[in-house]
Amino acid sequence: MKITTALRSAIAQDLIDAMANGSTNPNPVLEIYDGSMPGSMGGAISDTLLATLTLTAAVGTESGGVITFDAITDDSSADDSGDAGWCRVLDREGDEAAYFTISDASGNGEIKFNSTAITAGTPVAVSSLTVTVGGA
């Protein structure tokens, strides 16, 4: 699929707006799970929550269909051990806004980590994060 840059930009901005939605909590969060991303959103999550990182209230910026996330606050102590397989963003109301696949640096995940291995009790950090809307 190929779409125009203007349309990619509009979709990316809509996604940022969805992730930043709400006012109940000061910030949206990025939850990292083991396993494979569910086929649809909104159902019960059976995978293990490995870590939760905090996004800024505004989440990030968009340029040419690329979302560049603002600085992401580390999880100082991972909840559980396992291999990160996917993550979801919960908006400021605690509602699901997006799911992303995760892979190591050589894989095909939408979000790439140096290593997908997470160990309970250790810090989990994302030094930078960009997501490109399809068609680029």
Side-chain angles (χ1 to χ4, degrees), residues 11-123:
I11 293 168
Q13 188 59 57
D14 284 348
L15 183 54
I16 291 170
D17 293 345
M19 291 186 286
N21 180 61
S23 60
T24 300
N25 299 307
N27 299 86
V29 296
L30 178 85
E31 295 181 334
I32 299 173
Y33 291 89
D34 68 354
S36 297
M37 183 170 50
S40 61
M41 294 176 70
I45 305 295
S46 60
D47 294 324
T48 301
L49 175 64
L50 302 176
T52 302
L53 294 87
T54 303
L55 305 176
T56 64
V59 177
T61 57
E62 178 282 325
S63 178
V66 177
I67 299 169
T68 301
F69 285 72
D70 296 336
I72 298 170
T73 302
D74 301 352
D75 181 336
S76 61
S77 180
D79 298 296
D80 214 325
S81 297
D83 289 323
W86 67 283
C87 66
R88 70 176 177 171
V89 174
L90 301 178
D91 69 12
R92 294 170 58 199
E93 297 299 330
D95 296 326
E96 293 181 332
Y99 287 3
F100 298 104
T101 57
I102 294 175
S103 70
D104 64 20
S106 63
N108 294 323
E110 293 152 326
I111 299 175
K112 294 178 180 13
F113 281 79
N114 289 341
S115 170
T116 58
I118 293 177
T119 304
T122 63

